[in-house]
């Protein structure tokens, strides 16, 4: 019995050794990377000023709406440019666990069912660790209070300190910064206002789905009606759209996402309203009125003139905030004047293939608007353009910087962070793939396999040049098998010389993700 037991124990230990996760792969040659999320992409804790206790308020599912109103609702202070929680005893802080990665990984770590809906950089973090990145050594995160302005001094000072700490921890290696969405505006503000620090610490910047010229349709409807961050059944346990609206109307970050006024739009973002107009005889007629981004301010002002919230038994007016608008206009000036240091490489990835709101319309010819104060309670319809569902391609591509490359990826605004195509491109730009033949712009890899060139003279004195080349293309795009040829000839003006060339190429059917291509060419030159 003892022998059998010993055998059983040894067998179990052997299985455990097999099942044990292998030691994480670490590449010591990689340069450090800092991940910066977009709006609502950081865990936020509410810190009690008396007890010092911290409690997660974004994101949470249980009692989410009540805690959101109590701890995150805020008012803008035009003197400091900061939004302050309505409860003076509460301050909002971002947890720094895992060198900042905890706050931007899964936004509700306690959630089990439907967890994917609140994941942010989770897939990218896992992917990058598989490439050899190590948390706290070469991989870091920077979360921030997304309610605040992208040029708030407190946020930019924290970012400067973060860059310095990463630079020191990596032994003086420069940093690759990867931003998503509004994080691109935060970094661009930092680059404009602290160009010396940016140049000292940053090696490259990869902006993903950045609203460089705003997210016009998305923000217009957000300022008028609010937004939902969670879709499906989980939304019933989350923050209500109305609660979110009351928060965002006091957030400079939202106003900074409005359509940029000095950008020459191919498709000008508009606000349209079907209004009920009565003539002198009392007859009603529906008329479609159209407003440019500048003209739309008066509509926001009228529509939200009576908006208010109740907090602690007190009714607080919450109209469209023109002081925030002035602050945001200054931020956009800073963004438009930003210059990329010559030593920093910039890459731009934008989402494509989805209908994306550009212009917003309220009412219809059958249901025109009688009173503008109805607008916050109505659903909008959209005039869409190409984009990622949130940011139009036109806005995301217009970075105003000297980019090394701009690449479009079909995908949804936040879902693009889980895209295998994106991972392949980012891996190449970070030089974590050690593959010199990959082309991120066209998304294929060329593997040269054979190259031969030969020159000789035939017995008639003609010079013959022959070329034979073969290569393989690694791509998800299955090019069909084909055979092609091309011929060209040229005769000299004095009829004393001539030249002709002929080439054939063969594309073989794809096998195992690779496509083999052959090229054969012959050139003949004759002179008298």
């Amino acid at each position: 019995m003892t022998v059998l037991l010993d055998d059983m124990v040894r067998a179990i230990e052997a299985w455990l050794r097999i099942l044990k996760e292998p030691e994480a792969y670490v590449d010591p040659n990689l340069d450090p990377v800092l991940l910066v999320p977009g709006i609502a992409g950081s865990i936020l804790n509410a810190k009690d000023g008396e007890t010092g206790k911290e409690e997660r308020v974004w994101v949470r599912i249980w009692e989410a709406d009540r805690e959101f109103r109590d701890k995150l609702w805020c008012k803008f202070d035009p003197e400091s440019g900061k939004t302050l929680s309505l409860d003076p005893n509460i301050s909002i802080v971002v947890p720094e666990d895992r060198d900042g990665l905890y706050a931007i990984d899964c936004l509700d770590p306690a959630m089990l069912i439907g967890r994917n809906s609140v994941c942010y950089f989770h897939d990218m973090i896992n992917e990058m660790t598989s490439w050899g990145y190590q948390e706290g050594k070469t991989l870091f995160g920077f979360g921030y209070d997304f309610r605040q302005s992208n040029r708030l001094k407190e946020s930019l000072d924290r970012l400067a300190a973060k860059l310095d700490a990463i630079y020191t921890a990596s032994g003086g290696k420069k940093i690759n910064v990867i931003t998503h969405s509004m994080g691109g505006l935060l970094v661009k503000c930092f680059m404009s206002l602290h160009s010396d620090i940016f140049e000292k610490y940053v090696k490259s910047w990869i902006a993903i789905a950045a609203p460089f010229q705003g997210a016009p349709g998305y923000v217009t409807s957000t300022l008028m009606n609010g937004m939902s961050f969670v879709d499906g059944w989980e939304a019933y346990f989350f923050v209500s759209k109305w609660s979110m609206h009351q928060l965002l109307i006091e957030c400079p970050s939202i106003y900074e996402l409005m359509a940029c006024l000095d950008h020459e739009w191919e498709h000008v973002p508009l606000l349209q309203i079907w209004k009920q107009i009565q003539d002198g005889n009392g007859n009603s007629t529906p008329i479609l009125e159209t407003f440019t981004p500048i003209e739309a301010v008066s509509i926001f002002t009228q529509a939200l003139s009576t908006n208010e919230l109740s907090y602690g038994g007190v009714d607080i007016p919450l109209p469209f905030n023109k002081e925030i608008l002035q602050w945001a206009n200054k931020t956009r000036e800073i963004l438009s004047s930003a210059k990329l240091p010559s030593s920093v490489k910039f890459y731009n990835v934008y989402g494509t293939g989805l209908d994306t709101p550009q212009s917003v319309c309220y009412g219809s010819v059958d249901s025109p608007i009688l009173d503008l104060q109805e607008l916050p309670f109505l659903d909008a319809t959209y005039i869409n353009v190409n984009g990622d569902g949130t940011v139009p391609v036109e806005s995301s591509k217009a970075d105003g910087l000297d980019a090394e490359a701009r690449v479009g990826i079909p995908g949804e605004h936040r879902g693009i962070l889980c895209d295998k195509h994106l991972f392949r491109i980012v891996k190449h730009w970070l030089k974590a793939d050690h593959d010199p033949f990959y082309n991120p712009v066209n998304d294929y890899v060329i593997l040269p396999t054979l190259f031969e060139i030969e020159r000789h003279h035939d017995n008639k004195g003609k010079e013959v040049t022959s070329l034979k080349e073969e290569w393989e293309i690694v791509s998800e795009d299955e090019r069909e098998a084909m055979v092609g040829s091309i011929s060209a000839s040229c005769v000299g003006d004095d009829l004393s010389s001539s030249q002709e060339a002929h080439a054939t190429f063969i594309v073989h059917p794809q096998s195992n993700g690779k496509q083999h291509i052959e090229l054969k060419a012959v050139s003949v030159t004759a002179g008298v």
Side-chain angles (χ1 to χ4, degrees):
M1 179 68 72
T2 303
V3 174
L4 289 176
L5 185 59
D6 287 343
D7 290 341
M8 187 180 298
V9 170
R10 281 195 292 271
I12 293 173
E13 288 176 344
W15 273 107
L16 289 175
R17 282 194 294 271
I18 294 173
L19 295 175
K20 183 181 177 182
E21 289 188 9
E23 198 169 315
Y25 165 64
V26 175
D27 186 342
N29 299 313
L30 295 173
D31 293 321
V33 170
L34 176 64
L35 303 177
V36 183
I39 191 166
S42 306
I43 289 177
L44 300 181
N45 289 346
K47 183 176 182 179
D48 189 299
E50 294 181 356
T51 65
K53 181 182 177 182
E54 293 187 19
E55 181 181 13
R56 176 163 42 84
V57 290
W58 181 267
V59 170
R60 60 182 294 155
I61 295 299
W62 303 114
E63 298 183 328
D65 200 65
R66 181 179 64 81
E67 291 296 306
F68 184 90
R69 298 183 190 192
D70 287 348
K71 309 295 195 321
L72 284 180
W73 270 358
C74 54
K75 285 288 287 183
F76 177 71
D77 175 16
E79 294 296 324
S80 64
K82 186 175 182 178
T83 60
L84 302 172
S85 297
L86 294 180
D87 184 345
N89 192 47
I90 292 295
S91 60
I92 300 301
V93 297
V94 180
E96 292 292 341
D97 310 58
R98 291 172 50 201
D99 294 280
L101 292 170
Y102 170 82
I104 63 173
D105 187 337
C106 179
L107 303 185
D108 185 353
M111 189 174 178
L112 298 177
I113 300 175
R115 194 168 189 254
N116 288 341
S117 64
V118 292
C119 282
Y120 203 94
F121 271 120
H122 181 75
D123 287 57
M124 182 171 283
I125 292 170
N126 287 345
E127 186 74 18
M128 293 183 72
T129 53
S130 74
W131 301 344
Y133 285 92
Q134 187 177 9
E135 293 188 10
K137 299 292 185 182
T138 50
L139 188 58
F140 304 83
F142 181 77
Y144 56 95
D145 184 351
F146 58 81
R147 303 175 305 168
Q148 309 295 344
S149 167
N150 287 292
R151 64 179 173 97
L152 183 70
K153 184 179 184 302
E154 182 179 311
S155 298
L156 300 187
D157 287 347
R158 283 186 59 243
L159 180 54
K162 187 76 175 185
L163 292 172
D164 180 71
I166 296 172
Y167 184 78
T168 301
S170 64
K173 286 186 176 182
K174 282 197 170 186
I175 303 155
N176 299 299
V177 178
I178 300 177
T179 63
H180 177 250
S181 191
M182 193 180 75
L185 301 190
L186 176 72
V187 167
K188 196 176 183 184
C189 277
F190 183 87
M191 185 176 70
S192 180
L193 296 173
H194 302 285
S195 59
D196 55 337
I197 301 176
F198 191 83
E199 185 172 18
K200 177 182 178 181
Y201 292 127
V202 176
K203 178 181 182 180
S204 72
W205 170 24
I206 301 173
I208 303 169
F212 285 114
Q213 303 301 328
Y218 182 76
V219 171
T220 294
S221 61
T222 293
L223 284 171
M224 198 73 79
N225 311 106
M227 68 169 72
S228 296
F229 280 95
V230 177
D231 297 321
W233 64 268
E234 293 99 335
Y236 292 101
F237 301 94
F238 198 51
V239 179
S240 71
K241 192 174 182 179
W242 179 82
S243 295
M244 189 68 72
H245 183 223
Q246 302 304 82
L247 170 79
L248 298 179
I249 207 167
E250 284 292 305
C251 294
S253 56
I254 290 296
Y255 290 69
E256 290 167 356
L257 293 174
M258 296 173 73
C260 189
L261 301 179
D262 58 3
H263 178 64
E264 295 183 6
W265 292 93
E266 180 183 355
H267 305 287
V268 178
L270 301 172
L271 173 59
Q272 297 182 322
I273 301 175
W274 283 97
K275 295 180 71 174
Q276 187 87 298
I277 304 297
Q278 288 189 337
D279 59 23
N281 298 322
N283 298 317
S284 297
T285 304
I287 294 178
L288 180 64
E289 295 187 346
T290 299
F291 306 91
T292 65
I294 292 177
E295 296 167 341
V297 171
S298 66
I299 303 301
F300 286 124
T301 302
Q302 295 176 66
L304 298 170
S305 60
T306 61
N307 185 56
E308 62 180 20
L309 58 79
S310 179
Y311 188 87
V314 178
D315 292 332
I316 302 174
L318 217 63
F320 180 77
N321 197 319
K322 291 187 176 180
E323 289 181 318
I324 297 182
L325 181 62
Q326 291 177 356
W327 178 278
N329 287 338
K330 177 62 178 177
T331 301
R332 284 196 286 269
E333 290 179 15
I334 293 171
L335 288 168
S336 63
S337 63
K339 302 296 182 184
L340 184 74
S342 59
S343 62
V344 179
K345 291 186 176 182
F346 172 71
Y347 304 89
N348 186 343
V349 180
Y350 54 91
T352 67
L354 295 180
D355 286 339
T356 303
Q358 180 83 346
S359 295
V360 181
C361 182
Y362 290 94
S364 66
V365 66
D366 297 322
S367 301
I369 306 300
L370 300 176
D371 185 345
L372 290 178
Q373 292 180 6
E374 299 175 35
L375 296 181
F377 308 100
L378 300 178
D379 291 329
T381 57
Y382 303 102
I383 298 174
N384 295 313
V385 294
N386 185 25
D388 61 19
T390 300
V391 180
V393 166
E394 182 180 359
S395 171
S396 197
K397 287 180 69 175
D399 47 65
L401 304 174
D402 185 13
E404 296 289 318
R406 295 182 182 90
V407 178
I409 296 179
E412 185 268 335
H413 183 67
R414 199 175 66 165
I416 200 172
L417 290 178
C418 307
D419 190 277
K420 298 297 183 183
H421 185 176
L422 174 71
F423 295 157
R424 184 70 183 87
I425 293 172
V426 169
K427 187 177 184 181
H428 181 75
W429 284 338
L430 294 176
K431 294 181 170 53
D433 61 351
H434 312 294
D435 184 354
F437 299 107
Y438 178 66
N439 184 331
V441 176
N442 296 316
D443 191 35
Y444 57 73
V445 181
I446 298 178
L447 301 177
T449 58
L450 178 65
F451 179 84
E452 294 180 4
I453 188 168
E454 180 184 345
R455 290 188 179 91
H456 69 275
H457 288 81
D458 65 8
N459 54 12
K460 296 182 180 180
K462 296 180 180 180
E463 181 180 289
V464 180
T465 302
S466 61
L467 168 71
K468 181 181 180 182
E469 187 171 348
E470 298 180 17
W471 64 88
E472 290 177 340
I473 291 181
V474 181
S475 170
E476 293 185 2
D477 180 19
E478 296 190 9
R479 298 169 176 81
E480 295 183 0
M482 62 179 294
V483 178
S485 65
I486 186 171
S487 297
S489 62
C490 176
V491 179
D493 293 338
D494 59 359
L495 302 180
S496 63
S497 64
S498 65
Q499 183 175 347
E500 62 179 283
H502 179 77
T504 61
F505 61 92
I506 304 172
V507 179
H508 296 276
Q510 184 164 332
S511 176
N512 297 323
K514 296 181 180 180
Q515 201 138 28
H516 191 79
I517 299 177
E518 300 177 34
L519 171 66
K520 296 180 181 180
V522 176
S523 172
V524 179
T525 303
V528 178

